[in-house]
Amino acid sequence: MHEFSGGVKKPYQNIIEVSASDPHRGGLRPLTFVRQVLAACLYPQLINSDKLPVDVRQRAQRLLGACAGGSVGSYTATAGIAEIVQSVSDFITRRDGGIPSHPENIYISPGSHWNIFTILVNSKSSPRSGVLTPVPGYSNAVMSLTGVGAVNVPYYLDKEQGWELKVEELHRALESAKGNCKPVALYIINPGNPTGQVQSRKSIQEVIRFVSEKRLFLLVDEVYQECVSGEKSDFVSYKKVLFEMGHPYSDTVELASFHSVSNGFFGECGLRGGYVELVNVDPTVMKYIYKLFSKDSCAPVLGQVALDLMTNPPQPEDPSYPLYHLIQKMKATLLCNLKRFMEVLNSLPGFHCPPFEGGTFAFPRLHLPPKAVHKAKEVGMQPDTFYCMRLLEEAGVFTSPGCDFHLKDGSHHIGVCIMISEEVMEELLRRLACFHIQFMKDFS
Amino acid sequence: MAAARMQLLSTRNVGILSRGWLTGDGPRVRSLTSPPLCPSPGRALSSVSATRCGLPKERMSENGVSPRAKVLTVDTMNPTVKKVEYAVRGPIVQRAVELEKELSEGIKKPFAEVIKANIGDAHAMVSFFPLYSHTSFYFKVLALCSYPELLNDSRFPEDAKSRARRILQSCGGNSLGSYSASQGIESVRQDVARYIEQRDGGVPCDPDNIYLTTGASDGIVTMLKLLVCGKGATRTGVMISIPQYPLYSAALAELGAVQVNYYLNEEKCWSMDISELRRALDEARRHCNPRALCIINPGNPTGQVQSRQCIEDVIRFAAKERLFLMADEVYQDNVYAEGCQFHSFKKVLFEMGPEYSNTVELASFHSTSKCYMGECGFRGGYMEIINMDEEVKSQLTKLVSVRLCPPVPGQALMDLVVNPPRPGEPSYDNFMRERTATLSALAEKAKLTEQVLNTVQGISCNPVQGAMYSFPCITIPEKAIKEATDKGQQPDMFYCMKMLEETGICLVPGSGFGQKDGTYHFRYTTHDYNILG
């Protein structure tokens, strides 16, 4: 968050914050159905009034009935409220065309990553555990992993091929780890963050064969699965592909997949609702995973409620359906934002914004003039950080520099969340274009 | 004088920093710089387990054809996890859940329902205690924050609406759904600081020293992560009371820290003795590097409320022995016994003068889960950091950013806890009525629990001065001890399991919290008093 200190005059009224994927901050409205159910859970008198649609009231009643003492203020079971875990399990089964999902393999948790990483990573062993992570990639995951003592082993997505994941690169990364650490896991983000690439089924199969052969635990971050434009690839889950590959893969490859209410059209980042589904994990290890989760007590209950709503949304026959269906409009907005963003940026000298398939981030490449690169060095910053700082100070647009995603090949990028309202997008583009032209002039 | 004193916790000795994690320009592939260690026991075991599977693991990687040993097994997983236990949600609770399921399937039991007196969750027991009220004001505000259209609804009082508006204004996009700053919403931290100042009779509190957390547990674990480092004889030792709330033992086990036990004195109503702290510290220094001292006041599971004198003595001890103080004060409103009063560590520290207040490093923790609120499911909490090295503090800020932010509804709730209805506001009377009713119900039950338990032969219960539990001592007959030992069970676990199977009452055995050798206890959540019959 940024503060205007001491009445300093700026040519803008507010900061446009698009450095992280936070749709509500970017002007998108929360879904009415979601907020009505939350309100009814918090203030159950609303269940008896006809102010809210009947399906909202029924859902709140059902969920409160599943809470200890009928209250969202009570602790829940460690893995989450059983009915909600069931909703998540049913959602996964439906999504994957009937491939069964078992509730006992699912944990609802705010940021489920830590506990799974903790159990995987042996920081005391010699050599230490290593985890392969994508570059460019979501830096929080890398920090979580190194925070529990893992050695980070980067693998590079192919910039020239739409940030495609190439198995040869996974092999290279694994080789590079020899003598440094003992790789135990491969971390995948699909759809990619910040790169937005959506893996093809073929690519997923290659990765599964790779981890099977090389004996790696597969960690798959699928939080952007709802946000796929579908022009090149549809989203297909790792679990689905794994099971369709059959024996031996389907019953041996160990997999943890993550999803959350933060990143799709719900945008309920602040509620901290997410889950992890564990596949083919040793039953004895599952007991220890339970213990790790149990010391955190449970996930925040409102986050669990939001997860129920995401995985078990209103159906066409429900009164809230038409309003909920506005999600389709949000999808259209996202696509529209994407097109506008590409259009404007590709018209600006020095920017190259390739098309991207999924996620909520644009990650255009920036060709900075040598003078700007030099100035950045002088002030001790990475060039793309320098650009982003200037963009923030002078135009009030808060973006992420490419170096935040650990790109070290000398290329420069900025990361911009495009899951925002159309009005905010227009304002963003206006300010960015204006700033950029001036910047390029100043440093020509 | 004090100014030149080097801080106990500095960037040189913060474990998580020594891995080059948060400093420099971010994580990168690191070469192994530490000298090779001898093969871990885990590795020796892994070949044993592979043999049990009939197939050596090493050979499997070539052909990838099953059957094959898994990548993640008990032998390959992080070995510290094996030592993690959390009794409050441990095997007895799991059995209780199974029994509930059996009951719901119509299987006959000697009881009609399972009573979970294991967990400190007042609202979960509301079916037994209809008197037990939520603070309805809080829920009104949170409903308004969730669905702001209700701001037009006349059912909601003006003071609830104005608080909701204020909270929403401080949220990105005016929504509880936006990420907040990792340290927590600034206006909430300011309100927390003001609350602490009022509570502590004017001792200043800087909002910048406040970190909002996901329940107090999150703050406690975060601080432990910062504190724990070193290897072998220099491995960090953390002093914790016995009995203790098993989050501490679980977190210390997970982090591979050395748990340094100091025993509370059961004969003196679970009070702390400095001589016992001294004994524990001296003993610990022989094999580890003790750096922190954790205190739970009011105590869990023991309920003792430390006297002011005791708190001063502890502060002096920590100052002299260069220990980082962690004061778990989540039960600060739950004080019942005559002559007992809650004194915050911060207040006492500052009243002891600059020699201590400028130097002793302290973290105090609070939460929305206990006291009169009892809103566990929101996972709201905060910690206040005093005298932390500035550089370490900025690393702490980075560390908390990894988990992005605490749940925003929990932050909003914390804001209401520290900023409740004031006299003259429409909701004030009702709020005070509910608060008083809850606290006095808890106080009454604490007293009754002690009385009733003490009438039972073989059970002896100290007065419950505060918090929400009693931790009575039980005399287990020799025969039972033998049967338990034969079964490989702790005797008090054996006792509690039998209690569960025969009466449906779920308690947590004392062995889950720690106790003097040869003594046995159970923890019983006092708000379930009615079931004692």
Side-chain angles (χ1 to χ4, degrees), chain A residues 79 81-108 239 259 274-279 304 307-308 310-312:
Chain A
I81 293 169
E83 283 79 351
I84 299 181
V85 175
Q86 188 64 55
S87 290
V88 172
S89 177
D90 293 341
F91 159 80
I92 295 171
T93 306
R94 267 193 322 270
R95 178 199 68 188
D96 294 343
I99 292 167
S101 161
H102 302 283
E104 61 267 20
N105 291 338
I106 296 169
Y107 281 86
I108 300 178
K239 172 146 175 248
H259 193 18
Y275 73 77
V276 58
E277 186 191 18
L278 298 161
V279 177
Q304 297 192 41
L307 204 50
D308 184 78
M310 186 180 83
T311 54
N312 187 9

Side-chain angles (χ1 to χ4, degrees), chain A residues 114-231:
Chain A
W114 276 107
N115 287 324
I116 306 301
F117 295 171
T118 297
I119 204 162
L120 257 177
V121 172
N122 191 344
S123 60
K124 296 264 187 302
S125 60
S126 178
R128 275 165 50 200
S129 302
V131 181
L132 276 66
T133 67
V135 176
Y138 180 50
S139 51
N140 250 49
V142 177
M143 282 175 85
S144 303
L145 284 163
T146 51
V148 297
V151 175
N152 182 32
V153 182
Y155 62 88
Y156 297 88
L157 303 176
D158 191 336
K159 190 165 56 198
E160 310 307 328
Q161 302 285 325
W163 302 112
E164 204 183 310
L165 191 164
K166 296 262 166 76
V167 162
E168 306 79 70
E169 170 57 17
L170 292 181
H171 282 274
R172 182 217 55 82
L174 201 61
E175 262 311 295
S176 79
K178 281 210 172 106
N180 261 359
C181 65
K182 179 180 191 303
V184 298
L186 168 63
Y187 184 78
I188 299 264
I189 311 175
N190 181 46
N193 177 8
T195 48
Q197 86 285 6
V198 176
Q199 267 188 286
S200 67
R201 180 184 288 269
K202 178 163 174 290
S203 170
I204 295 175
Q205 287 168 345
E206 285 174 347
V207 169
I208 289 172
R209 274 187 216 105
F210 173 78
V211 300
S212 178
E213 184 200 337
K214 301 296 180 186
R215 315 240 319 114
L216 298 170
F217 194 104
L218 198 46
L219 299 162
V220 188
D221 184 332
E222 295 175 325
V223 300
Y224 291 102
Q225 56 186 269
E226 324 283 342
C227 310
V228 174
S229 68
E231 269 160 43

Side-chain angles (χ1 to χ4, degrees), chain A residues 122-408:
Chain A
N122 191 344
S123 60
K124 296 264 187 302
S125 60
S126 178
R128 275 165 50 200
S129 302
V131 181
L132 276 66
T133 67
V135 176
Y138 180 50
S139 51
N140 250 49
V142 177
M143 282 175 85
S144 303
L145 284 163
T146 51
V148 297
V151 175
N152 182 32
V153 182
Y155 62 88
Y156 297 88
L157 303 176
D158 191 336
K159 190 165 56 198
E160 310 307 328
Q161 302 285 325
W163 302 112
E164 204 183 310
L165 191 164
K166 296 262 166 76
V167 162
E168 306 79 70
E169 170 57 17
L170 292 181
H171 282 274
R172 182 217 55 82
L174 201 61
E175 262 311 295
S176 79
K178 281 210 172 106
N180 261 359
C181 65
K182 179 180 191 303
V184 298
L186 168 63
Y187 184 78
I188 299 264
I189 311 175
N190 181 46
N193 177 8
T195 48
Q197 86 285 6
V198 176
Q199 267 188 286
S200 67
R201 180 184 288 269
K202 178 163 174 290
S203 170
I204 295 175
Q205 287 168 345
E206 285 174 347
V207 169
I208 289 172
R209 274 187 216 105
F210 173 78
V211 300
S212 178
E213 184 200 337
K214 301 296 180 186
R215 315 240 319 114
L216 298 170
F217 194 104
L218 198 46
L219 299 162
V220 188
D221 184 332
E222 295 175 325
V223 300
Y224 291 102
Q225 56 186 269
E226 324 283 342
C227 310
V228 174
S229 68
E231 269 160 43
K232 223 168 68 178
S233 281
D234 273 327
F235 170 78
V236 59
S237 75
Y238 262 76
K239 172 146 175 248
K240 182 168 196 223
V241 176
L242 177 65
F243 273 69
E244 287 173 349
M245 285 169 78
H247 180 75
Y249 304 103
S250 57
D251 45 17
T252 60
V253 170
E254 292 146 79
L255 167 68
S257 28
F258 305 97
H259 193 18
S260 116
V261 300
S262 304
N263 304 96
F265 301 98
F266 263 49
E268 298 285 4
C269 320
L271 297 186
R272 315 308 292 119
Y275 73 77
V276 58
E277 186 191 18
L278 298 161
V279 177
N280 291 328
V281 173
D282 181 306
T284 319
V285 174
M286 288 296 276
K287 294 201 170 82
Y288 287 105
I289 290 175
Y290 175 83
K291 282 191 200 181
L292 280 181
F293 275 102
S294 74
K295 74 175 199 310
D296 302 331
S297 299
C298 66
V301 180
L302 294 187
Q304 297 192 41
V305 169
L307 204 50
D308 184 78
L309 304 177
M310 186 180 83
T311 54
N312 187 9
Q315 294 305 297
E317 60 272 16
D318 296 328
S320 297
Y321 183 76
L323 213 54
Y324 189 84
H325 205 59
L326 288 177
I327 264 185
Q328 297 308 320
K329 188 163 182 280
M330 288 165 106
K331 285 191 178 160
T333 300
L334 184 62
L335 268 173
C336 183
N337 283 349
L338 199 152
K339 286 197 164 80
R340 264 305 275 155
F341 190 83
M342 275 174 59
E343 183 183 35
V344 172
L345 261 73
N346 283 327
S347 74
L348 294 169
F351 260 125
H352 172 61
C353 188
F356 53 97
E357 290 290 299
T360 57
F361 246 68
F363 199 61
R365 179 149 182 195
L366 192 49
H367 297 272
L368 288 168
K371 252 191 176 174
V373 176
H374 184 74
K375 177 74 179 179
K377 260 206 189 96
E378 254 180 45
V379 298
M381 277 190 206
Q382 293 290 333
D384 40 23
T385 309
F386 176 68
Y387 182 93
C388 290
M389 284 293 277
R390 278 291 185 100
L391 177 60
L392 174 60
E393 290 287 340
E394 292 174 24
V397 176
F398 186 16
T399 55
S400 280
C403 59
D404 272 7
F405 303 96
H406 311 296
L407 263 181
K408 288 202 163 72

Side-chain angles (χ1 to χ4, degrees), chain A residues 24-25 75 140 146 154 254 291, chain B residues 21 29 71 121 175 179 402:
Chain A
H24 299 178
R25 191 177 287 275
Y75 281 126
N140 250 49
T146 51
E254 292 146 79
K291 282 191 200 181
Chain B
W21 181 64
V29 178
V71 173
D121 183 349
S175 165
Y179 285 121
V402 179

Side-chain angles (χ1 to χ4, degrees), chain B residues 99-337:
Chain B
L99 285 171
E100 274 179 327
K101 192 156 180 285
E102 287 176 26
L103 278 172
S104 71
E105 287 162 6
I107 300 174
K108 269 207 150 348
K109 295 281 167 195
F111 46 85
E113 60 209 322
V114 173
I115 296 170
K116 299 236 228 11
N118 56 301
I119 204 159
D121 183 349
H123 298 305
M125 303 303 290
V126 83
S127 52
F128 294 95
F129 304 112
L131 291 175
Y132 220 68
S133 42
H134 286 281
T135 313
S136 49
F137 180 73
Y138 295 164
F139 278 70
K140 284 179 189 154
V141 178
L142 290 169
L144 288 164
C145 290
S146 300
Y147 186 50
E149 275 74 351
L150 293 172
L151 288 165
N152 301 321
D153 189 320
S154 55
R155 265 177 295 196
F156 293 85
E158 207 35 61
D159 49 1
K161 289 181 179 175
S162 70
R163 275 180 184 67
R165 281 190 198 101
R166 187 164 168 274
I167 288 168
L168 288 176
Q169 252 158 38
S170 59
C171 295
N174 290 351
S175 165
L176 293 183
S178 283
Y179 285 121
S180 75
S182 305
Q183 200 176 336
I185 295 171
E186 185 167 355
S187 62
V188 177
R189 291 191 288 110
Q190 285 166 350
D191 289 350
V192 168
R194 241 193 315 270
Y195 161 83
I196 292 174
E197 279 177 0
Q198 270 167 12
R199 181 198 67 186
D200 294 345
V203 173
C205 177
D206 182 353
D208 213 44
N209 288 339
I210 303 296
Y211 287 77
L212 301 183
T213 55
T214 306
S217 303
D218 171 35
I220 292 163
V221 171
T222 301
M223 281 310 305
L224 289 174
K225 282 187 176 139
L226 269 189
L227 280 160
V228 173
C229 68
K231 287 199 230 305
T234 61
R235 190 75 183 150
T236 300
V238 176
M239 299 180 72
I240 181 66
S241 54
I242 295 298
Q244 46 98 42
Y245 172 52
L247 166 73
Y248 289 90
S249 46
L252 293 173
E254 189 185 321
L255 293 169
V258 178
Q259 181 174 331
V260 178
N261 297 333
Y262 64 88
Y263 290 82
L264 300 176
N265 191 336
E266 186 163 13
E267 272 90 62
K268 294 206 186 128
C269 205
W270 299 113
S271 63
M272 276 175 84
D273 285 325
I274 297 298
S275 54
E276 168 57 16
L277 289 182
R278 166 100 271 138
R279 177 212 62 78
L281 182 64
D282 290 343
E283 203 277 329
R285 278 194 170 133
R286 284 191 241 147
H287 60 89
C288 71
N289 179 20
R291 303 175 78 203
L293 169 54
C294 301
I295 298 160
I296 310 171
N297 182 46
N300 175 6
T302 49
Q304 87 284 4
V305 177
Q306 299 300 345
S307 67
R308 199 211 156 86
Q309 183 61 53
C310 177
I311 295 174
E312 279 188 26
D313 293 342
V314 170
I315 291 172
R316 264 184 218 104
F317 181 80
K320 177 159 179 275
E321 303 298 339
R322 313 255 300 124
L323 298 168
F324 192 104
L325 268 176
M326 291 188 36
D328 181 338
E329 297 175 329
V330 303
Y331 296 100
Q332 54 189 264
D333 290 340
N334 300 112
V335 174
Y336 320 121

Side-chain angles (χ1 to χ4, degrees), chain B residues 336-338 439-455 461-470 524 526-527 529 532:
Chain B
Y336 320 121
E338 289 259 346
L439 286 175
S440 49
L442 283 169
E444 191 198 323
K445 289 175 195 340
K447 203 164 182 179
L448 290 169
T449 299
E450 179 206 332
Q451 280 172 5
V452 172
L453 285 176
N454 277 324
T455 63
C461 186
N462 265 323
V464 177
Q465 293 177 338
M468 283 174 166
Y469 316 98
S470 72
Y524 172 74
T526 55
H527 53 62
Y529 162 71
L532 284 180

